[in-house]
Amino acid sequence: MKQPAESILSTAIHNFRQAAKRLNLDEPIYQKLLTPREKIEVNINPTLSGGKAVNIKTFVVRHNDALGPAKGGIRMTPDVTLDDTTGLAMEMTWKTSLIGVPFGGGKAGIRVEPAQLGPVDKEVIIRSFTRGVRRHIGPEIYIPAPDMGTNETDMAHIRDCVSYSEGISITKGCVVTGKPVILGGIVGRKEATGKGVVYTILAMCEKLGTDIREMRIALQGFGNVGSVAAERIAHCGAKVVAVADISGAVINPDGLDTEELLKHYCKTGAVKGFKKAIKIDRDKIFEVDCDILIPAATGSQITVKNAEKIKANVIAEAANAPTTPQADEILNKRRVLVIPDILCNAGGVFVSYLEYTQETQREQMTLEQVEGRLAERMKNRFNDVYDLAGQKQITMREAAMETAVAKVVEAVYARGLLP
Ligand code: NAD
């Protein structure tokens, strides 16, 4: 059972409180930003193939929309909670602010195991969810995207369901991002988060004068984000020495063939059983001898139990809230450089913003343009946060949070506090 002190929400609140203290926020604005604007729990009861009726809890949270409509992914896992969704929505408020896109923070959760669903049943659940929360989704309210357990097909079904509910073929404005290119999606969105992670690591190497080709990488999570990050970083010349997923972990100190591993993963749905590697326990991934550790799975994975054992000098947080505050403190004392989630994995929401502008302006961007803008934004934001941390002698997480919260506060005051 997850301890409340190690939950995604408690991590998000802790990080916000620290920033609020440093920024000396007044009580009303502090309370406003601590409390989500809207929290919804909707029970859906679809009938799946074979006639089986199910009861599924779903959640939508809009944390803050001072900078624009709420933006954030839909998480479909068997253990997602309203609290997780709230913590993740709060994180999205800071992420969109930090990366500089005109959105607020939101998130949705669907409490079901996607791996046990066939494509028809998954579509039924996605459409049932969309119908249930219809009033809370839309270009001016909350614009979903993929997160753990959801993908571009699901986004296509949400968009279709919204259009259908309005009785027209295509709704105006951007209802979802991360949808298929044929439906107005943008090239490169699927890979954007993983690639963005690698761009921040490359920016770090440039800052520190280190060579990416000398880096050994360990990754936890080999889904959308982790597999792209692994493949891209290997392409840059780094050695991916270990990868873990929910099924187990594999290690090869001489470097894993990431392309072969991905083929194996696509075929079997797991890294387990990959021939050209040694099998290790899933949680041993945190003890692997490496230079950079990339948590790309879920929240609260780096805790007091493993923070002392981590050998990497750098942690690039591809996942949301992977490090608990207590573990963060240990890592800081050990002088491990942590590239915080709201910076490291912001490539996805940045390219979602490009998709939004492409759709609203009826334009089309090439992959080269998308990647060029993503690379530039990730590098610039990494440098800004790294430099601020150096000037103030604070951690990168503290610098990122301070920057992000200050911008949201400025927007709240600019809009005015009445009525
Ligand atoms: P995904 O569902 O595609 O993949 C998740 C991966 O994590 C799978 O390989 C799964 O086996 C593994 N995993 C789950 N629990 C694990 C555990 N306890 N130990 C080891 N491995 C475990 O999800 P994704 O879209 O790749 O998202 C991964 C993380 O990145 C999440 O924290 C998500 O919130 C964050 N993120 C995703 C995006 C995006 O664009 N998809 C954007 C920003 C942040």
Side-chain angles (χ1 to χ4, degrees):
M1 191 67 187
K2 234 184 327 185
Q3 294 304 306
E6 292 187 348
S7 72
I8 291 172
L9 180 59
S10 62
T11 297
I13 290 175
H14 172 91
N15 292 337
F16 169 62
R17 281 203 177 121
Q18 300 261 311
K21 216 188 265 175
R22 272 194 308 278
L23 291 166
N24 211 7
L25 294 190
D26 288 343
E27 190 60 18
I29 190 96
Y30 169 75
Q31 288 299 339
K32 186 178 173 81
L33 296 179
L34 186 65
T35 324
R37 187 175 172 81
E38 188 171 42
K39 255 166 117 167
I40 293 136
E41 182 173 324
V42 175
N43 289 303
I44 57 169
N45 311 94
T47 301
L48 304 185
S49 52
K52 189 182 166 208
V54 288
N55 195 328
I56 298 168
K57 279 193 188 312
T58 74
F59 317 103
V60 177
V61 178
R62 281 198 298 147
H63 173 256
N64 184 275
D65 54 9
L67 286 166
K71 191 83 194 79
I74 301 177
R75 181 166 289 198
M76 187 187 268
T77 59
D79 54 1
V80 66
T81 61
L82 181 57
D83 274 0
D84 287 348
T85 313
T86 305
L88 292 164
M90 194 180 207
E91 278 228 343
M92 283 307 300
T93 300
W94 317 134
K95 194 182 300 182
T96 50
S97 164
L98 183 70
I99 207 67
V101 293
F103 295 124
K107 202 84 184 181
I110 304 177
R111 200 178 166 93
V112 68
E113 172 56 87
Q116 284 169 9
L117 297 171
V120 173
D121 284 346
K122 196 177 187 205
E123 181 175 345
V124 168
I125 291 171
I126 285 286
R127 286 184 187 271
S128 180
F129 162 75
T130 310
R131 220 164 61 93
V133 303
R134 172 67 193 93
R135 280 175 297 134
H136 308 285
I137 290 183
E140 280 115 30
I141 312 165
Y142 162 55
I143 308 166
D147 188 67
M148 285 184 85
T150 56
N151 56 31
E152 62 177 24
T153 305
D154 304 321
M155 298 308 118
H157 293 150
I158 293 173
R159 186 174 187 265
D160 185 64
C161 198
V162 170
S163 305
Y164 185 80
S165 73
E166 292 180 6
I168 51 178
S169 77
I170 296 174
T171 50
K172 264 194 262 151
C174 184
V175 174
V176 284
T177 59
K179 55 193 168 291
V181 172
I182 191 77
L183 297 180
I186 195 162
V187 283
R189 169 59 185 90
K190 198 171 157 213
E191 298 79 17
T193 308
K195 283 188 180 172
V197 169
V198 176
Y199 288 134
T200 57
I201 292 173
L202 291 175
M204 179 208 68
C205 288
E206 205 178 310
K207 268 276 176 207
L208 303 182
T210 51
D211 188 342
I212 188 71
R213 290 168 300 183
E214 284 166 13
M215 297 290 126
R216 293 161 308 146
I217 317 289
L219 281 120
Q220 186 206 32
F222 202 60
N224 177 20
V225 178
S227 65
V228 172
E231 191 271 324
R232 292 308 298 175
I233 209 155
H235 185 76
C236 295
K239 208 183 263 181
V240 176
V241 292
V243 172
D245 72 359
I246 196 82
S247 71
V250 290
I251 183 168
N252 183 344
D254 295 327
L256 295 162
D257 183 331
T258 51
E259 272 179 36
E260 286 291 315
L261 182 60
L262 188 57
K263 277 188 205 154
H264 170 82
Y265 186 83
C266 291
K267 211 160 115 191
T268 65
V271 299
K272 191 177 73 176
F274 183 57
K275 292 263 171 354
K276 298 167 188 167
I278 301 159
K279 181 180 138 199
I280 56 169
D281 282 349
R282 187 176 83 183
D283 293 340
K284 290 281 175 203
I285 193 74
F286 297 110
E287 298 173 32
V288 165
D289 192 13
C290 65
D291 303 295
I292 303 176
L293 173 66
I294 307 181
T298 186
S300 310
Q301 294 299 299
I302 301 177
T303 67
V304 285
K305 289 197 193 113
N306 54 28
E308 289 285 5
K309 296 177 190 160
I310 288 173
K311 298 202 175 67
N313 301 317
V314 176
I315 296 177
E317 292 186 335
N320 283 313
T323 311
T324 65
Q326 297 82 352
D328 217 17
E329 219 175 296
I330 296 171
L331 296 169
N332 294 339
K333 278 196 191 125
R334 293 186 51 214
R335 307 187 76 77
V336 176
L337 179 70
V338 180
I339 309 176
D341 50 2
I342 61 166
L343 168 66
C344 192
N345 71 33
V349 78
F350 179 68
V351 174
S352 276
Y353 159 69
L354 297 181
E355 180 175 334
Y356 175 91
T357 39
Q358 178 181 268
E359 193 165 2
T360 47
Q361 293 173 17
R362 300 267 184 254
E363 272 190 23
Q364 276 177 348
M365 289 181 78
T366 63
L367 184 58
E368 212 181 356
Q369 287 169 326
V370 171
E371 295 214 338
R373 289 192 61 180
L374 174 65
E376 187 190 18
R377 185 63 62 106
M378 297 309 290
K379 181 178 172 175
N380 290 345
R381 283 299 181 271
F382 176 89
N383 287 342
D384 294 344
V385 173
Y386 185 88
D387 291 348
L388 183 68
Q391 279 158 27
K392 293 196 160 186
Q393 290 295 298
I394 55 178
T395 66
M396 283 193 75
R397 190 184 315 282
E398 288 166 337
M401 282 297 293
E402 204 173 297
T403 308
V405 175
K407 256 181 75 180
V408 176
V409 169
E410 190 185 339
V412 170
Y413 280 126
R415 289 175 74 131
L417 296 171
L418 293 176

